[in-house]
């Protein structure tokens, strides 16, 4: 059985049994990266020697009979927005081209404790702003299923890396759908945990009240394993919640009985691709055959979600990105006349167009005279969106929907139409605004062989329910087992 | 035409916590090793997050309670956004529309003896993080400015007064009383040189014209006030300047933008500052990285339990318990808590509050100032001084002798060894200062003095009461520890009542 393309669970078992070593597994993935990433461009930075060094140390630990962590030598790819001590963390921006954090993010510490091998840094839209990974200052990542198409974004590099079998697991961040939408586009499992479930300490902030780190894997079990590793309270993040973390990887195999699945009528409207709709309807039939009850629910304020998001997220971003001023770290212009000019020139040179667009949007929305009409109003509508979900979840256990209105679009197709690009997150954004957990799982393919994702949402801190519901479907289908032709192995 | 001076003060106080307000770095004053008390959080590195220091919040609440403020049951953090090199995140975490406390008052004494007190309103007190410090090349060689972030993130309490102060002296008095209260509460060291207490003053005039109309001059904010004396001087200058400006231009409040001026202590004048305030929009919004703070009744009770006696209450108690005058009570208390504690210990030991106050506010204070010592460093501890004064009360020595012992105790202490009451015995013995009430010893001397001074004796006998004074003096000179009261009685008896 090949290493590449195996699930994380299978690999951990084989590592534990001693069938393979971490060196074997890490080498196989490094070779896969060498073979495939020239075309896919999922990675910004791969430190081969460092990865092998970690693999060797973990093998040595195991050989000595020492206790080895839950990931036991398994490689994990990291979105380049999560601080890792001594590793470049560019956020896909020229602004942080030479920035090397002096500290580990909380999730990186957790991965090290779990004996993961940090195999490389994945490409992303600059500062996680985008839905196609085309806003990276460094490279454009391709969708492994069709290299002329985008992998989605902003965590497109992580999704593509897992889809193309260049890593069994990856971390991404999700502010408006940045894990779930690329997972859907690339045919892998991607999950955004409840806001507060995973510490944001060390996650470079885009929109602090929406950002959440989550896992990518090629099956639900892998996502459960990785989430279990990174979830839990961290005193360094005031918004992190001190709630017990269930053993997701153990309970994931237990099906839910009497599952009530909600579908929102507002989700099946114009703009939704027919093939996507068909795949979702088909998925609901699978659930029905498993004894689930499908109920219609209403999310009347969901139509405002994109508008609310594009006020709240840019407002926070305009503030969060103020620190990149060329004074203490990051890009500083070579030529400037005075202090103000240094700020202006450094930021003009360091940021790309989409980042500038959102900084301007947010600065405007927070300005005196506009705050009440925009930011404050958006917060109120945000609350109404959450209330919709609270009401719906009194009727159902999970809500099913498409992940995105269409399968992966062409590279370049939407770059000049920001509004159309923003709409590709229409199904995912509400979960961030409401703080809910959501998962994207492979649920079919288009006629042109592009993956289609199914999204499931659950009430806050019900990740366990979400994973078990997703696994029920996965067990009955084999969409998740397909691998793109571009993948090595 | 009369004018009223309108003054409101904004005071920033660094709180005495061990660590900074949103991270674990030390908040100690350390200008000599720049940027060593820093971490990803206070450097504003990407990905770092703030976590509130509970101790800072508690000290802030304690102060607000002492200022009679209302404590909000729910408070939150906001970002105040502006660009400056000493502000690494591009925003300061502060409190905007829901400060943790508001609507308080501080009572100050105004005028001289019996001048009464006035309540100065406190609009609000809120908590925020301090910025770092920009260090500019002051040699004129024009090298790059540098930034020291040791101070960035130090907990800062901003206390905003109502425009209730009516003179530069009142402003100074308010600051003195506030500083005294803060040091009593032990929430700040209030060291203006080190920047742990900073003050800005908002000043304007109400000009009451003869026709009954009132005109307000434009409000000016004065910055760079680094001592209470400078606050007083700057406001004095500003009052004059604004009046002259009004006479010249007739400009009223609202007709020109609020101006910020800096105090130039060397030239003794306020000068216009490049306006950071100009059309500033700080784009405040709630900080999404921090959770709102709810203040429970239990927390308030536990903080209230840590409150000490306030200076104003202590002055009143000193007047009642020790019979001090307004003036004495003020001098004793205003020197600070340790000084007032010293006084109380001395007064307790000698059983004479007035005597203790005289000694402490005159002799001790004078010697402290001469030697540049704090009361904590003063070599004669309260127990020893109390012992010395007790001997006066018990008529073992005279006040004059006690002064001699006091000075001797200080003089013979070059090595700063601890001074004990045993030293007092030693000095009294060596100098023969013990009060002589032994009539046998005195009789001989009195007879001798009477014999030598026939003129004074004649004068006394002729009815000149005062003449006995000269005789007493001569006896006292001859017998060092003679009790003047005993000597007088014996002399009068010997000479026979006139």
């Amino acid at each position: 059985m090949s290493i590449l393309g195996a699930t994380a669970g299978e690999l951990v078992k084989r590592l534990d049994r001693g069938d393979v070593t971490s060196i074997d597994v890490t080498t196989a993935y490094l070779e896969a990266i060498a073979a495939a990433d020239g075309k896919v461009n999922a990675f910004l930075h791969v430190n081969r020697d460092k990865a092998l060094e970690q693999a060797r140390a973990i093998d040595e630990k195991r050989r000595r009979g020492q206790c080895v962590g839950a990931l036991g030598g398994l490689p994990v790819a990291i979105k380049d927005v999560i601080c890792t001590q001594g590793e470049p963390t560019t956020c896909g921006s020229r602004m942080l081209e030479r920035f090397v954090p002096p500290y580990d993010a909380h999730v990186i510490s957790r991965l090290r404790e779990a004996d993961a091998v940090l195999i490389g840094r994945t490409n992303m839209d600059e500062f996680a702003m985008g839905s196609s990974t085309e806003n990276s200052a460094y490279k454009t990542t391709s969708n492994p299923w069709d290299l002329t198409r985008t992998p989605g974004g902003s965590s497109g590099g992580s999704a593509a890396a897992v889809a193309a079998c260049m890593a069994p697991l990856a971390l991404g961040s999700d502010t408006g759908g940045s894990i779930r939408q690329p997972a859907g586009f690339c045919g892998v499992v991607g999950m955004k945990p409840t806001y507060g479930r995973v510490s944001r300490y060390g996650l470079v902030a885009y929109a602090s009240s929406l950002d959440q780190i989550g896992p990518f894997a090629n099956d639900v079990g892998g996502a459960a394993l990785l989430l279990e590793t990174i979830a839990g309270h961290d005193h360094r993040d005031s918004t992190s919640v001190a709630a017990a973390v269930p053993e997701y990887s153990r309970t994931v195999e237990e099906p839910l009985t009497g599952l009530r699945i909600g579908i929102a009528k507002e989700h099946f409207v114009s703009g939704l691709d027919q093939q996507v709709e068909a795949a979702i309807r088909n998925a609901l039939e699978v659930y029905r055959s498993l004894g689930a009850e499908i109920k219609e629910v209403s999310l009347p304020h969901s139509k405002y979600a994109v508008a609310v998001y594009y006020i709240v997220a840019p407002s926070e971003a305009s503030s969060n990105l103020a620190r990149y001023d060329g004074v203490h770290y990051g890009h500083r212009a070579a030529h400037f006349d005075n202090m103000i000019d240094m700020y202006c020139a450094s930021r003009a040179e360091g940021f790309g167009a989409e980042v500038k667009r959102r900084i301007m949007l947010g600065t405007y929305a927070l300005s005196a005279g506009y705050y009440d009409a925009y930011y404050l109003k958006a917060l109120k509508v945000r609350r109404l969106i959450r209330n919709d979900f609270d009401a719906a979840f009194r009727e159902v256990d999970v809500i099913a929907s498409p992940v995105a209105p269409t399968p992966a679009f062409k590279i370049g197709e939407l770059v000049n139409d920001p509004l159309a690009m923003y709409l590709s997150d229409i199904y995912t954004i509400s979960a961030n605004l409401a703080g809910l957990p959501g998962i994207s799982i492979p649920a079919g393919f288009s006629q042109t062989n592009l993956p289609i994702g199914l999204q499931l949402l659950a009430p806050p801190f019900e990740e366990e329910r979400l994973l078990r519901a997703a696994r029920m479907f996965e067990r009955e289908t084999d969409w998740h087992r397909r691998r793109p032709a571009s993948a090595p192995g | 035409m009369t004018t009223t001076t309108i003054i409101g003060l904004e005071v920033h106080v660094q709180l005495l916590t061990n660590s900074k307000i949103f991270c674990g770095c030390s908040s100690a004053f350390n200008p000599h090793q720049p940027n060593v008390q820093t971490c990803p959080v206070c450097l504003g590195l990407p990905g770092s997050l703030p976590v509130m220091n509970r101790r800072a919040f508690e000290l802030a609440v304690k102060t607000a309670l002492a200022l009679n403020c209302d404590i909000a049951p729910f408070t939150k953090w906001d970002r105040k956004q502006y660009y400056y090199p000493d502000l690494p995140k591009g925003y300061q975490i502060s409190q905007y529309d829901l400060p943790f406390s508001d609507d308080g008052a501080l009572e100050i004494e105004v005028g001289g003896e019996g001048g009464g007190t006035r309540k100065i309103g406190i609009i609000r007190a809120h908590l925020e993080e301090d910025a770092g410090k920009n260090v500019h090349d002051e040699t004129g060689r024009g090298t790059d400015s540098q930034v020291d972030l040791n101070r960035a993130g130090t907990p800062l309490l901003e206390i905003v007064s109502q425009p209730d102060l009516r003179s530069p002296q009142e402003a100074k008095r308010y600051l003195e009383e506030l500083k005294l209260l803060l040091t009593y509460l032990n929430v700040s060291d209030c060291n203006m040189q080190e920047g742990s207490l900073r003050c800005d003053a908002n000043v304007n005039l109400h000009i009451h014209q003869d026709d009954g109309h009132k005109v307000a001059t434009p409000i000016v904010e004065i910055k760079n006030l680094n001592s209470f004396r400078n606050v007083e001087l700057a406001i004095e200058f500003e009052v004059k300047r604004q009046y002259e400006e009004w006479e010249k231009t007739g400009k009223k409040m609202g007709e020109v933008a609020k101006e910020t001026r800096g105090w130039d202590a060397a030239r003794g004048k306020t000068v216009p500052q490049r306006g950071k305030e100009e059309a500033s929009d700080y784009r405040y919004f709630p900080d999404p990285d921090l959770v709102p703070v709810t203040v429970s009744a239990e927390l308030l009770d536990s903080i209230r339990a840590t409150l000490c006696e306030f200076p104003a209450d202590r002055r009143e108690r000193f007047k009642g318990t020790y019979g001090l005058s307004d003036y004495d009570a003020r001098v004793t208390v205003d020197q600070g808590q340790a000084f007032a504690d010293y006084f109380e210990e001395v007064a307790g030991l000698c059983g004479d509050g007035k005597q203790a106050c005289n000694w402490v506010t005159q002799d001790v204070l004078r010697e402290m100032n001469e030697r540049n010592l704090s009361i904590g460093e003063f070599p004669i501890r309260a127990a020893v001084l109390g012992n010395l004064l007790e001997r006066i009360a018990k008529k073992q020595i005279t006040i004059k002798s006690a002064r001699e012992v006091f000075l001797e105790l200080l003089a013979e202490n070059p090595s700063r060894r601890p001074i004990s009451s045993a030293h007092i015995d030693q000095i009294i013995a060596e100098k023969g200062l013990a009060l002589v009430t032994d009539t046998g010893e005195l009789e001989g001397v009195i007879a001798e003095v009477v014999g030598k001074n026939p003129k004074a004796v004649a004068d006394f006998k002729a009815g000149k009461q005062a003449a006995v004074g000269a005789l007493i003096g001569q006896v006292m000179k001859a017998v060092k520890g003679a009790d003047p009261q005993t000597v007088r009685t014996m002399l009068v008896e010997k000479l026979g009542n006139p």
Side-chain angles (χ1 to χ4, degrees):
Chain A
M1 193 172 156
S2 144
I3 289 172
L4 302 180
T7 66
E10 287 160 4
L11 286 172
V12 167
K13 257 185 228 140
R14 287 158 72 184
L15 282 160
D16 277 345
R17 282 201 304 262
D19 297 352
V20 289
T21 63
S22 179
I23 285 282
D24 296 336
V25 175
T26 305
T27 306
Y29 281 105
L30 286 169
E31 281 169 6
I33 293 168
D37 205 39
K39 287 174 291 177
V40 178
N41 288 307
F43 285 89
L44 287 174
H45 182 76
V46 176
N47 192 334
R48 191 184 164 85
D49 293 343
K50 229 170 175 174
L52 289 171
E53 196 182 296
Q54 292 171 49
R56 202 169 292 122
I58 296 160
D59 284 339
E60 180 63 20
K61 227 165 138 179
R62 188 173 264 126
R63 203 184 52 74
R64 285 194 191 146
Q66 287 172 326
C67 198
V68 176
L71 296 179
L74 206 58
V76 180
I78 309 293
K79 186 180 182 180
D80 207 26
V81 71
I82 299 170
C83 288
T84 305
Q85 186 173 5
E87 297 283 319
T89 300
T90 70
C91 301
S93 180
R94 289 277 169 232
M95 185 58 89
L96 293 178
E97 190 163 5
R98 281 180 293 277
F99 179 68
V100 177
Y103 74 102
D104 274 339
H106 179 73
V107 293
I108 297 296
S109 305
R110 285 291 186 85
L111 288 182
R112 292 193 201 276
E113 286 159 21
D115 285 318
V117 172
L118 306 177
I119 198 168
R121 318 281 306 169
T122 59
N123 198 22
M124 56 184 283
D125 286 302
E126 184 177 8
F127 286 106
M129 298 181 196
S131 308
S132 67
T133 315
E134 290 165 287
N135 294 332
S136 167
Y138 301 102
K139 49 171 72 165
T140 300
T141 301
S142 286
N143 190 314
W145 293 90
D146 176 349
L147 297 175
T148 68
R149 290 179 185 268
T150 81
S154 66
S155 311
S158 286
V162 173
C165 301
M166 295 189 285
L169 294 173
L171 285 183
S173 66
D174 190 316
T175 306
S178 282
I179 291 174
R180 290 160 289 155
Q181 183 255 24
F185 277 15
C186 292
V188 298
V189 175
M191 185 174 189
K192 180 201 100 73
T194 309
Y195 186 78
R197 180 56 103 181
V198 178
S199 169
R200 292 182 296 117
Y201 191 79
L203 168 67
V204 179
Y206 156 27
S208 314
S209 74
L210 304 164
D211 295 341
Q212 195 65 192
I213 297 171
F216 284 99
N218 54 23
D219 73 339
V220 175
L225 178 65
L226 188 50
L227 178 63
E228 191 176 305
T229 306
I230 60 172
H233 182 244
D234 171 21
H235 66 91
R236 294 171 300 181
D237 174 1
S238 307
T239 63
S240 146
V241 173
V245 178
E247 285 180 72
Y248 303 121
S249 60
R250 190 176 57 75
T251 60
V252 68
E253 295 297 336
E254 299 166 12
L256 295 158
T257 52
L259 180 65
R260 297 169 302 164
I261 298 177
I263 51 165
K265 53 176 188 259
E266 293 84 359
H267 284 163
F268 296 88
V269 289
S270 68
L272 176 59
D273 180 280
Q274 285 185 355
Q275 294 179 48
V276 173
E277 179 168 356
I280 303 308
R281 301 264 181 221
N282 186 49
L284 293 173
E285 285 312 311
V286 173
Y287 273 113
R288 219 189 294 270
S289 73
L290 292 171
E293 182 192 351
I294 313 294
K295 286 178 83 168
E296 190 167 272
V297 294
S298 180
L299 301 170
H301 296 94
S302 63
K303 58 177 179 282
Y304 304 118
V306 172
V308 168
Y309 176 85
Y310 278 100
I311 291 186
V312 172
S315 294
E316 293 181 11
S318 72
S319 176
N320 286 332
L321 273 65
R323 69 188 64 197
Y324 309 113
D325 58 6
V327 175
H328 299 279
Y329 52 82
H331 178 75
R332 181 189 290 182
H335 306 287
F336 50 83
D337 294 332
N338 53 44
M339 190 177 82
I340 301 294
D341 193 38
M342 181 189 83
Y343 287 143
C344 295
S346 301
R347 289 168 68 82
E349 293 168 14
F351 290 140
E354 183 61 27
V355 170
K356 287 177 187 166
R357 185 178 295 127
R358 296 196 195 187
I359 289 174
M360 284 189 281
L361 275 173
T363 304
Y364 182 85
L366 291 179
S367 294
Y370 300 101
Y371 180 90
D372 289 1
Y374 292 101
Y375 187 74
L376 203 58
K377 179 76 90 183
L379 290 191
K380 290 175 182 170
V381 180
R382 183 178 180 177
R383 181 70 232 180
L384 295 175
I385 289 170
R386 169 66 187 262
N387 290 350
D388 283 356
F389 279 108
D390 289 348
F393 283 124
R394 283 195 280 274
E395 307 291 321
V396 296
D397 302 312
V398 297
I399 293 172
S401 75
V403 174
T406 64
F409 46 83
K410 290 266 189 192
I411 290 169
E413 191 180 330
L414 300 180
V415 282
N416 294 317
D417 190 353
L419 281 181
M421 184 80 89
Y422 292 174
L423 287 174
S424 71
D425 293 330
I426 193 162
Y427 293 112
T428 48
I429 272 176
S430 297
N432 300 81
L433 292 170
L436 310 176
I439 193 167
S440 170
I441 52 175
F445 281 82
S446 72
Q447 285 151 11
T448 52
N449 201 36
L450 294 172
I452 294 171
L454 167 72
Q455 175 175 250
L456 298 176
L457 302 178
F461 300 101
E462 294 293 350
E463 285 87 355
E464 185 183 0
R465 183 192 300 173
L466 212 49
L467 289 160
R468 288 167 68 185
R471 177 61 186 143
M472 283 167 72
F473 176 80
E474 186 183 72
R475 210 199 291 269
E476 298 301 311
T477 57
D478 65 354
W479 309 115
H480 67 288
R481 273 191 248 280
R482 294 208 199 170
R483 300 287 177 258
S486 64
Chain B
M1 199 154 47
T2 59
T3 62
T4 310
T5 305
I6 311 292
I7 306 163
L9 296 179
E10 279 174 31
V11 174
H12 285 90
V13 190
Q14 289 183 345
L15 297 178
L16 267 182
T17 50
N18 294 324
S19 57
K20 295 185 178 181
I21 185 166
F22 296 119
C23 65
C25 290
S26 165
S27 55
F29 180 66
N30 182 6
H32 302 300
Q33 297 166 284
N35 296 310
V36 295
Q37 287 157 212
T38 57
C39 73
V41 176
C42 56
L43 291 174
L45 291 189
S48 64
L49 295 170
V51 176
M52 188 189 77
N53 178 342
R54 289 211 72 84
R55 180 77 188 138
F57 190 79
E58 286 165 12
L59 291 182
V61 169
K62 182 176 177 184
T63 310
L65 285 172
L67 290 169
N68 296 299
C69 287
D70 294 336
I71 308 297
F74 174 93
T75 184
K76 68 182 174 72
W77 301 98
D78 300 287
R79 293 182 180 179
K80 178 181 181 178
Q81 313 193 65
Y82 62 94
Y83 287 96
Y84 211 57
D86 64 10
L87 193 68
K89 297 189 295 296
Y91 58 82
Q92 178 192 29
I93 303 176
S94 180
Q95 299 197 287
Y96 181 52
D97 53 343
L98 293 176
F100 79 90
S101 75
D102 66 356
D103 195 18
L106 178 67
E107 206 167 71
I108 61 170
E109 295 190 347
V110 288
E113 191 78 4
T117 59
R118 237 155 60 67
K119 261 193 179 156
I120 306 304
I122 306 286
I123 296 176
R124 60 186 273 166
H126 73 252
L127 199 49
E128 60 190 22
E129 57 177 344
D130 207 345
K133 213 168 159 53
N134 292 341
V135 185
H136 305 292
D137 179 10
E138 279 167 8
T139 63
R141 275 182 234 119
T143 59
D144 288 349
S145 294
Q146 296 178 313
V147 184
D148 178 6
L149 295 178
N150 280 349
R151 196 179 76 175
T154 300
L156 208 54
L157 182 67
E158 180 172 334
I159 302 165
V160 185
S161 88
Q162 294 279 4
D164 286 349
L165 297 157
R166 291 291 171 269
S167 70
Q169 294 69 39
E170 275 190 20
K172 181 162 176 260
R173 185 69 209 127
Y174 167 85
L175 290 170
E176 287 167 347
E177 187 66 18
L178 182 61
K179 178 181 170 178
L180 187 67
L181 179 63
L182 294 167
T183 49
Y184 259 72
L185 295 169
N186 199 26
V187 294
S188 175
D189 62 20
C190 297
N191 187 328
M192 284 191 96
Q193 272 68 50
E194 295 180 1
S196 49
L197 189 150
R198 311 198 280 273
C199 174
D200 302 329
N202 285 289
V203 181
N204 77 334
L205 304 178
H206 287 174
I207 299 166
H208 309 277
Q209 291 170 299
D210 296 338
D211 63 4
H213 279 92
K214 187 183 86 178
V215 176
T217 59
I219 297 176
V220 167
E221 179 172 2
I222 316 173
K223 290 187 176 286
N224 196 30
L225 299 168
N226 57 7
S227 73
F228 292 171
R229 178 69 183 137
N230 277 328
V231 172
E232 195 177 10
L233 290 172
I235 296 172
E236 266 170 20
F237 175 87
E238 192 58 26
V239 166
K240 238 185 278 161
R241 193 197 64 80
Q242 285 189 20
Y243 191 77
E244 286 164 14
E245 184 76 13
W246 177 74
E247 282 189 313
K248 227 186 325 176
T249 66
K251 287 265 193 270
K252 293 180 253 175
M253 189 161 85
E255 292 177 356
V256 289
K258 181 180 164 182
E259 191 187 6
T260 302
R261 299 177 71 90
W263 172 244
D264 183 336
R267 292 193 292 161
K269 59 202 279 186
T270 64
V271 290
Q273 274 194 337
R274 190 174 44 80
K276 192 177 86 170
E277 299 289 322
E278 271 178 295
S280 62
D281 177 359
Y282 291 120
R283 301 193 318 281
Y284 280 101
F285 81 111
D287 192 327
D289 287 332
L290 287 160
V291 288
V293 186
T294 48
V295 183
S296 65
E298 292 75 41
L299 178 68
L300 272 188
D301 287 345
S302 72
I303 295 172
R304 211 172 264 126
T306 68
L307 290 174
C308 57
E309 182 182 33
F310 300 152
D313 299 327
R314 200 169 200 191
R315 282 188 208 103
E316 285 309 307
R317 186 165 60 80
F318 280 9
K319 286 188 236 170
T321 308
Y322 300 110
L324 303 193
S325 64
D326 283 353
Y327 176 83
D328 281 341
R330 190 159 72 230
V331 172
T332 312
V333 171
D334 288 9
Q335 289 296 322
Q337 193 165 28
F339 190 85
D341 289 348
Y342 184 98
F343 158 75
E344 281 218 80
E345 192 178 343
V346 173
L349 287 168
C350 74
D352 182 346
K354 190 71 193 145
Q355 182 80 270
C357 180
N358 286 343
W359 279 80
V360 168
T361 59
Q362 290 165 30
D363 302 73
V364 173
L365 204 51
R366 182 190 64 239
E367 297 301 325
M368 270 168 62
N369 291 341
E370 255 173 38
R371 290 168 167 75
N372 199 21
L373 298 173
S374 72
I375 190 69
E377 297 161 335
F378 193 66
I380 302 177
R381 304 307 312 142
V384 177
L385 183 61
N387 180 287
L388 181 63
L389 303 195
E390 191 187 359
R391 296 173 195 239
I392 300 175
K394 288 189 176 162
K395 296 198 174 297
Q396 292 170 357
I397 52 172
T398 62
I399 293 178
K400 190 163 167 286
S401 300
R403 290 230 151 76
E404 205 174 328
V405 174
F406 179 78
L407 291 175
E408 190 63 26
L409 284 171
L410 288 173
E412 68 159 27
N413 192 41
S415 58
R416 296 207 165 184
R417 64 190 164 81
I419 296 173
S420 72
S421 301
H423 293 103
I424 299 176
D425 294 329
Q426 202 181 325
I427 294 167
I428 289 174
E430 277 168 14
K431 303 209 165 212
L433 298 176
L435 199 57
V436 180
T437 46
D438 174 353
T439 47
E441 189 185 341
L442 287 173
E443 260 167 23
V445 180
I446 285 171
E448 197 179 317
V449 168
V450 168
K452 275 186 187 164
N453 293 281
K455 168 117 179 41
V457 171
D459 284 350
F460 180 80
K461 286 188 169 168
K464 268 191 171 179
Q465 289 277 329
V468 79
L471 298 174
I472 294 171
Q474 289 203 29
V475 176
M476 301 280 294
K477 207 169 172 185
V479 186
K480 268 219 147 148
D483 173 28
Q485 208 51 53
T486 313
V487 173
R488 168 182 284 272
T489 313
M490 288 175 68
L491 262 171
V492 170
E493 202 169 281
K494 180 157 184 82
L495 300 176
N497 283 321

